[in-house]
Amino acid sequence: MNRLDVRLAQLKQQQRSGLVCYFTAGAPDYSSNVALLTQIGQAGADIIELGMPFSDPVADGEVIEAAHHQAISQGHTLAKTLQLVKEIRLKDEQTPIVLMGYVNPILQYGFQQFLQDAKGLIDGLLIVDLPYEYQSEYLHDVEQNQIHFICLTAPSTPKERLALIAQNAQGFLYHVAENGVTGMQRQQQNLDEKIAQLKQYFTIPIGIGFGIKTEQDIAALKNKADLVIVGTTLVECLAQSGVAATLQKVQKFAKVLRD
């Protein structure tokens, strides 16, 4: 078991949905990342999701894409992302951290070297552009380093493919609420039926992300999704209003799920 297993077990025992908070590593700058992420677990984030900057983040909308480019322009690399996690761990050894991103920077770093350097620091890895067909050659090595390989599904994923993805899925499932990119305007359709369908295939917790921006969005998923994933609105708040305002927003979001 790693930190993610422990946290998911705690959430199940508490019978509540967990809050996953996404930020792009290195944006708007390294120092604000350290200041924020060393406190965010205490503010109410159950899981930290940290984006690994990449020049072509095809799954991301304008806000997070701009954060990727901003981080890269300041010289932020995958090595600096791992250094950032090390600094977080000096203050927060408990909050699970999942790295999310694209396969190219990891291959450039060296997949085996990356896993060795990340071991003990991170608890999950989500590679957006590594579909089921290409996961098998990496899955064993990821597991060997006590890291969970997090899988993605979308509204358009057919049932047959859900069954395939479920074979490799670990930690929690990240389900994209809308076909599109991060930060898009979410349609207010009822996700109850989709969550029920996913639970027919997946025994691990179900996380819902993409387009979740407000306390009302979070309240609509409370005690339905196992995890509620918030990204764009937090990245935007950090860039525009700073660390203190972002921590306050996280506290408000967490309060919705904990009350």
Side-chain angles (χ1 to χ4, degrees):
M1 291 182 69
N2 64 23
R3 298 176 195 86
L4 184 56
D5 297 308
V6 172
R7 183 54 50 88
L8 293 172
Q10 289 171 342
L11 292 171
K12 185 175 182 179
Q13 185 178 33
Q14 295 167 11
Q15 297 183 318
R16 69 173 178 87
S17 303
L19 177 65
V20 182
C21 296
Y22 170 94
F23 294 92
T24 305
D29 56 74
Y30 188 89
S31 60
S32 66
N33 281 185
V34 174
L36 174 71
L37 297 172
T38 52
Q39 301 180 73
I40 199 168
Q42 190 174 8
D46 293 295
I47 298 169
I48 298 169
E49 188 178 16
L50 200 55
M52 300 175 283
F54 180 50
S55 57
D56 189 22
V58 293
D60 292 299
E62 292 182 5
V63 171
I64 294 180
E65 182 181 11
H68 278 261
H69 293 158
Q70 183 180 33
I72 292 170
S73 71
Q74 296 179 57
H76 195 90
T77 62
L78 185 51
K80 287 189 176 180
T81 298
L82 292 176
Q83 181 59 41
L84 172 60
V85 178
K86 287 181 182 178
E87 295 208 41
I88 297 169
R89 289 288 174 234
L90 293 175
K91 298 285 185 68
D92 182 353
E93 180 53 38
Q94 305 299 321
T95 305
I97 295 177
V98 173
L99 292 188
M100 178 179 184
Y102 301 82
V103 72
N104 186 274
I106 301 177
L107 293 179
Q108 288 188 4
Y109 190 100
F111 210 99
Q112 294 295 335
Q113 188 63 54
F114 167 75
L115 292 175
Q116 290 175 31
D117 293 347
K119 184 177 181 179
L121 294 174
I122 71 168
D123 309 286
L125 178 64
L126 196 168
I127 305 178
V128 178
D129 56 346
L130 193 67
Y132 170 81
E133 289 78 6
Y134 299 94
Q135 290 172 7
S136 57
E137 62 182 292
Y138 302 107
L139 188 61
H140 176 74
D141 292 330
V142 174
E143 290 177 332
Q144 287 294 104
N145 287 278
Q146 287 82 56
I147 298 169
H148 286 311
F149 200 106
I150 309 299
C151 292
L152 277 168
T153 59
S156 57
T157 306
K159 293 179 180 179
E160 298 77 14
R161 192 165 182 81
L162 290 177
L164 287 175
I165 293 171
Q167 296 176 17
N168 286 353
Q170 304 172 359
F172 66 88
L173 174 71
Y174 190 128
H175 179 72
V176 175
E178 300 283 347
N179 288 317
V181 295
T182 56
M184 66 182 293
Q185 187 62 44
R186 206 181 127 235
Q187 302 297 317
Q188 297 302 311
Q189 84 270 25
N190 194 322
L191 282 168
D192 293 9
E193 185 176 336
K194 173 55 69 173
I195 293 171
Q197 181 195 48
L198 292 170
K199 287 187 178 291
Q200 293 176 19
Y201 296 91
F202 296 88
T203 57
I204 57 176
I206 308 297
I208 303 293
F210 281 46
I212 299 170
K213 301 179 180 181
T214 67
E215 293 172 56
Q216 289 73 28
D217 293 334
I218 292 171
L221 291 168
K222 179 179 179 179
N223 296 330
K224 296 177 182 178
D226 300 299
L227 299 169
V228 181
I229 306 165
V230 185
T232 297
T233 190
L234 295 176
V235 172
E236 195 168 41
C237 183
L238 180 60
Q240 295 180 359
S241 304
V243 172
T246 307
L247 287 172
Q248 288 178 357
K249 186 178 282 285
V250 170
Q251 288 170 346
K252 290 179 180 178
F253 287 167
K255 189 173 187 298
V256 173
L257 297 178
R258 292 170 187 261
D259 280 351

